[in-house]
Coordinates of all heavy atoms in Angstrom, one line a residue:
G1 N 5.1 7.0 -29.2 CA 3.9 6.3 -29.6 C 4.1 4.8 -29.8 O 3.3 4.0 -29.4
L2 N 5.3 4.5 -30.4 CA 5.6 3.1 -30.6 C 5.8 2.4 -29.3 O 5.5 1.2 -29.2 CB 6.8 3.0 -31.5 CG 6.6 3.5 -33.0 CD1 8.0 3.4 -33.7 CD2 5.6 2.6 -33.7
L3 N 6.5 3.1 -28.3 CA 6.6 2.5 -27.0 C 5.3 2.2 -26.4 O 5.1 1.1 -25.8 CB 7.5 3.4 -26.2 CG 7.8 2.9 -24.7 CD1 8.5 1.6 -24.7 CD2 8.5 4.0 -23.9
A4 N 4.4 3.2 -26.5 CA 3.0 3.0 -25.9 C 2.3 1.8 -26.6 O 1.6 1.1 -26.0 CB 2.3 4.3 -26.1
Y5 N 2.5 1.7 -27.9 CA 1.9 0.6 -28.7 C 2.4 -0.7 -28.1 O 1.7 -1.7 -27.9 CB 2.3 0.7 -30.1 CG 1.2 1.4 -31.0 CD1 1.5 2.6 -31.6 CD2 0.0 0.8 -31.2 CE1 0.6 3.2 -32.4 CE2 -1.0 1.4 -32.0 CZ -0.7 2.6 -32.6 OH -1.6 3.2 -33.3
G6 N 3.8 -0.8 -27.9 CA 4.4 -2.1 -27.3 C 3.8 -2.4 -26.0 O 3.5 -3.6 -25.7
L7 N 3.7 -1.4 -25.1 CA 3.2 -1.7 -23.7 C 1.7 -2.1 -23.8 O 1.3 -3.0 -23.1 CB 3.4 -0.4 -22.9 CG 4.8 -0.1 -22.6 CD1 4.9 1.3 -21.8 CD2 5.6 -1.2 -21.8
T8 N 1.0 -1.4 -24.7 CA -0.4 -1.7 -24.8 C -0.6 -3.2 -25.3 O -1.5 -3.9 -24.9 CB -1.1 -0.7 -25.7 OG1 -1.0 0.6 -25.2 CG2 -2.6 -1.1 -25.8
L9 N 0.2 -3.5 -26.3 CA 0.1 -4.8 -26.9 C 0.4 -5.9 -25.9 O -0.2 -6.9 -25.8 CB 1.1 -4.9 -28.1 CG 1.0 -6.2 -28.9 CD1 -0.4 -6.4 -29.5 CD2 2.1 -6.2 -30.0
G10 N 1.5 -5.7 -25.0 CA 1.8 -6.6 -24.0 C 0.6 -6.8 -23.0 O 0.3 -7.9 -22.6
F11 N 0.0 -5.7 -22.6 CA -1.1 -5.7 -21.7 C -2.3 -6.5 -22.3 O -2.9 -7.3 -21.6 CB -1.6 -4.3 -21.3 CG -2.8 -4.2 -20.5 CD1 -2.9 -4.6 -19.2 CD2 -4.0 -3.7 -21.1 CE1 -4.1 -4.5 -18.5 CE2 -5.2 -3.7 -20.4 CZ -5.2 -4.1 -19.1
V12 N -2.6 -6.3 -23.5 CA -3.7 -6.9 -24.2 C -3.4 -8.4 -24.3 O -4.3 -9.3 -24.1 CB -4.0 -6.3 -25.6 CG1 -5.0 -7.2 -26.4 CG2 -4.5 -4.9 -25.4
K13 N -2.2 -8.8 -24.6 CA -1.8 -10.2 -24.7 C -2.0 -10.9 -23.4 O -2.3 -12.1 -23.3 CB -0.4 -10.4 -25.2 CG -0.3 -9.9 -26.7 CD -1.2 -10.6 -27.6 CE -1.2 -10.1 -29.0 NZ -2.2 -10.7 -29.9
V14 N -1.8 -10.3 -22.3 CA -2.0 -10.9 -20.9 C -3.5 -11.1 -20.8 O -3.9 -12.2 -20.3 CB -1.5 -10.0 -19.8 CG1 -1.9 -10.5 -18.5 CG2 0.0 -9.9 -19.9
L15 N -4.3 -10.2 -21.2 CA -5.8 -10.4 -21.1 C -6.2 -11.5 -22.1 O -7.1 -12.3 -21.8 CB -6.5 -9.1 -21.5 CG -6.3 -7.9 -20.5 CD1 -7.1 -6.7 -21.0 CD2 -6.7 -8.3 -19.1
H16 N -5.5 -11.6 -23.2 CA -5.8 -12.6 -24.2 C -5.6 -14.0 -23.6 O -6.4 -14.9 -23.7 CB -4.8 -12.4 -25.4 CG -4.8 -13.5 -26.4 ND1 -5.3 -13.4 -27.7 CD2 -4.4 -14.8 -26.3 CE1 -5.2 -14.5 -28.4 NE2 -4.7 -15.4 -27.6
E17 N -4.5 -14.2 -22.8 CA -4.2 -15.5 -22.2 C -5.2 -15.7 -21.1 O -5.6 -16.9 -20.8 CB -2.8 -15.5 -21.7 CG -1.7 -15.3 -22.8 CD -1.9 -16.4 -23.9 OE1 -2.3 -17.5 -23.6 OE2 -1.7 -16.0 -25.1
L18 N -5.6 -14.7 -20.3 CA -6.6 -14.9 -19.3 C -7.9 -15.3 -19.9 O -8.6 -16.1 -19.3 CB -6.8 -13.6 -18.5 CG -5.6 -13.2 -17.6 CD1 -5.9 -11.8 -16.9 CD2 -5.5 -14.2 -16.5
G19 N -8.2 -14.9 -21.1 CA -9.4 -15.3 -21.8 C -9.4 -16.8 -22.0 O -10.4 -17.5 -21.8
H20 N -8.2 -17.3 -22.5 CA -8.1 -18.8 -22.6 C -8.3 -19.5 -21.3 O -9.0 -20.5 -21.2 CB -6.7 -19.1 -23.1 CG -6.5 -18.8 -24.6 ND1 -7.3 -19.3 -25.6 CD2 -5.6 -18.0 -25.2 CE1 -6.9 -18.9 -26.8 NE2 -5.8 -18.1 -26.6
G21 N -7.6 -19.0 -20.2 CA -7.6 -19.6 -18.9 C -9.0 -19.6 -18.3 O -9.5 -20.7 -17.8
L22 N -9.7 -18.5 -18.4 CA -11.1 -18.5 -17.9 C -12.1 -19.4 -18.6 O -12.9 -20.0 -18.0 CB -11.6 -17.0 -17.9 CG -10.9 -16.1 -16.9 CD1 -11.3 -14.6 -17.2 CD2 -11.3 -16.4 -15.4
M23 N -11.9 -19.4 -19.9 CA -12.8 -20.3 -20.7 C -12.5 -21.8 -20.3 O -13.4 -22.6 -20.2 CB -12.6 -20.1 -22.2 CG -13.6 -20.9 -23.1 SD -15.3 -20.5 -22.8 CE -15.4 -18.9 -23.8
A24 N -11.2 -22.1 -20.2 CA -10.9 -23.5 -19.8 C -11.5 -23.8 -18.4 O -12.0 -24.9 -18.2 CB -9.4 -23.7 -19.8
K25 N -11.4 -22.9 -17.5 CA -11.9 -23.1 -16.1 C -13.4 -23.3 -16.2 O -14.0 -24.0 -15.4 CB -11.6 -22.0 -15.2 CG -10.1 -21.9 -14.8 CD -9.6 -23.2 -14.2 CE -10.3 -23.5 -12.9 NZ -9.7 -24.7 -12.3
R26 N -14.1 -22.6 -17.1 CA -15.5 -22.6 -17.3 C -16.0 -24.0 -17.6 O -17.1 -24.5 -17.2 CB -15.9 -21.6 -18.3 CG -17.4 -21.5 -18.5 CD -17.7 -20.2 -19.4 NE -19.1 -20.0 -19.5 CZ -19.8 -20.3 -20.6 NH1 -19.2 -20.7 -21.7 NH2 -21.1 -20.1 -20.7
F27 N -15.1 -24.8 -18.3 CA -15.4 -26.2 -18.6 C -14.8 -27.2 -17.7 O -14.8 -28.4 -18.0 CB -15.0 -26.5 -20.1 CG -15.8 -25.6 -21.1 CD1 -15.1 -24.9 -22.1 CD2 -17.1 -25.5 -21.1 CE1 -15.8 -24.1 -23.0 CE2 -17.8 -24.8 -22.0 CZ -17.1 -24.1 -23.0
G28 N -14.3 -26.7 -16.6 CA -13.7 -27.6 -15.5 C -12.3 -28.1 -15.8 O -11.9 -29.1 -15.1
C29 N -11.6 -27.4 -16.6 CA -10.2 -27.8 -16.9 C -9.2 -27.1 -15.9 O -9.5 -26.0 -15.5 CB -9.8 -27.5 -18.3 SG -10.8 -28.4 -19.5
R30 N -8.1 -27.8 -15.7 CA -7.1 -27.2 -14.8 C -6.1 -26.4 -15.7 O -5.8 -26.8 -16.9 CB -6.3 -28.3 -14.1 CG -5.3 -27.8 -13.1 CD -4.8 -28.9 -12.3 NE -4.1 -29.9 -13.1 CZ -2.7 -29.8 -13.3 NH1 -2.0 -28.9 -12.7 NH2 -2.1 -30.7 -14.1
V31 N -5.7 -25.2 -15.2 CA -4.7 -24.4 -16.0 C -3.4 -24.3 -15.2 O -3.3 -23.5 -14.3 CB -5.3 -23.0 -16.2 CG1 -4.3 -22.2 -17.1 CG2 -6.6 -23.1 -16.9
P32 N -2.5 -25.2 -15.4 CA -1.3 -25.3 -14.5 C -0.3 -24.2 -14.6 O 0.2 -23.8 -13.5 CB -0.7 -26.7 -14.9 CG -1.1 -26.9 -16.3 CD -2.5 -26.3 -16.4
T33 N -0.1 -23.7 -15.8 CA 1.0 -22.6 -15.9 C 0.6 -21.6 -16.9 O -0.2 -21.8 -17.8 CB 2.3 -23.2 -16.3 OG1 2.2 -23.9 -17.6 CG2 2.8 -24.2 -15.3
M34 N 1.1 -20.4 -16.7 CA 1.2 -19.3 -17.7 C 2.6 -18.8 -17.7 O 3.3 -18.9 -16.7 CB 0.2 -18.2 -17.3 CG -1.3 -18.6 -17.4 SD -2.4 -17.2 -16.9 CE -2.1 -16.1 -18.2
G35 N 3.0 -18.3 -18.9 CA 4.4 -17.8 -18.9 C 4.6 -17.1 -20.2 O 3.7 -16.5 -20.9
V36 N 5.9 -17.1 -20.6 CA 6.3 -16.5 -21.9 C 6.9 -17.5 -22.8 O 7.7 -18.3 -22.4 CB 7.4 -15.4 -21.5 CG1 7.9 -14.8 -22.8 CG2 6.9 -14.4 -20.6
A37 N 6.4 -17.5 -24.0 CA 7.0 -18.3 -25.1 C 7.8 -17.4 -26.0 O 7.6 -16.2 -26.1 CB 5.9 -19.0 -25.9
F38 N 8.9 -18.0 -26.6 CA 9.8 -17.3 -27.4 C 9.7 -17.8 -28.9 O 10.0 -18.9 -29.1 CB 11.2 -17.3 -26.9 CG 11.4 -16.6 -25.7 CD1 11.2 -17.1 -24.4 CD2 11.9 -15.3 -25.7 CE1 11.4 -16.4 -23.3 CE2 12.1 -14.5 -24.6 CZ 11.8 -15.1 -23.3
L39 N 9.2 -16.9 -29.8 CA 9.1 -17.2 -31.2 C 10.3 -16.5 -31.9 O 10.3 -15.3 -32.1 CB 7.8 -16.6 -31.7 CG 7.6 -16.7 -33.2 CD1 7.5 -18.1 -33.7 CD2 6.3 -16.0 -33.6
V40 N 11.2 -17.4 -32.3 CA 12.5 -16.9 -32.8 C 13.1 -15.8 -31.9 O 13.4 -14.7 -32.3 CB 12.3 -16.4 -34.3 CG1 13.7 -16.3 -35.0 CG2 11.5 -17.3 -35.1
L41 N 13.1 -16.1 -30.6 CA 13.6 -15.3 -29.5 C 12.7 -14.0 -29.3 O 13.1 -13.1 -28.6 CB 15.0 -14.9 -29.8 CG 16.0 -16.1 -29.9 CD1 17.4 -15.5 -30.1 CD2 15.9 -17.0 -28.7

């Protein structure tokens, strides 16, 4: 169950970032990169 939680959380975070990107494109902004940030690794 915890593994499923982790995979689900990763999937949702990708959609989270797409939400930022789509909203930025809606206002005519360029979205140059997406990637992974490390918070205390």
Side-chain angles (χ1 to χ4, degrees):
L2 293 177
L3 178 61
Y5 266 113
L7 295 175
T8 303
L9 185 61
F11 171 72
V12 169
K13 291 306 176 184
V14 172
L15 296 180
H16 174 112
E17 299 305 323
L18 287 176
H20 285 303
L22 288 169
M23 184 64 79
K25 292 302 297 183
R26 188 166 181 253
F27 296 129
C29 298
R30 188 171 63 94
V31 183
T33 61
M34 294 177 66
V36 178
F38 288 86
L39 172 64
V40 197
L41 303 183

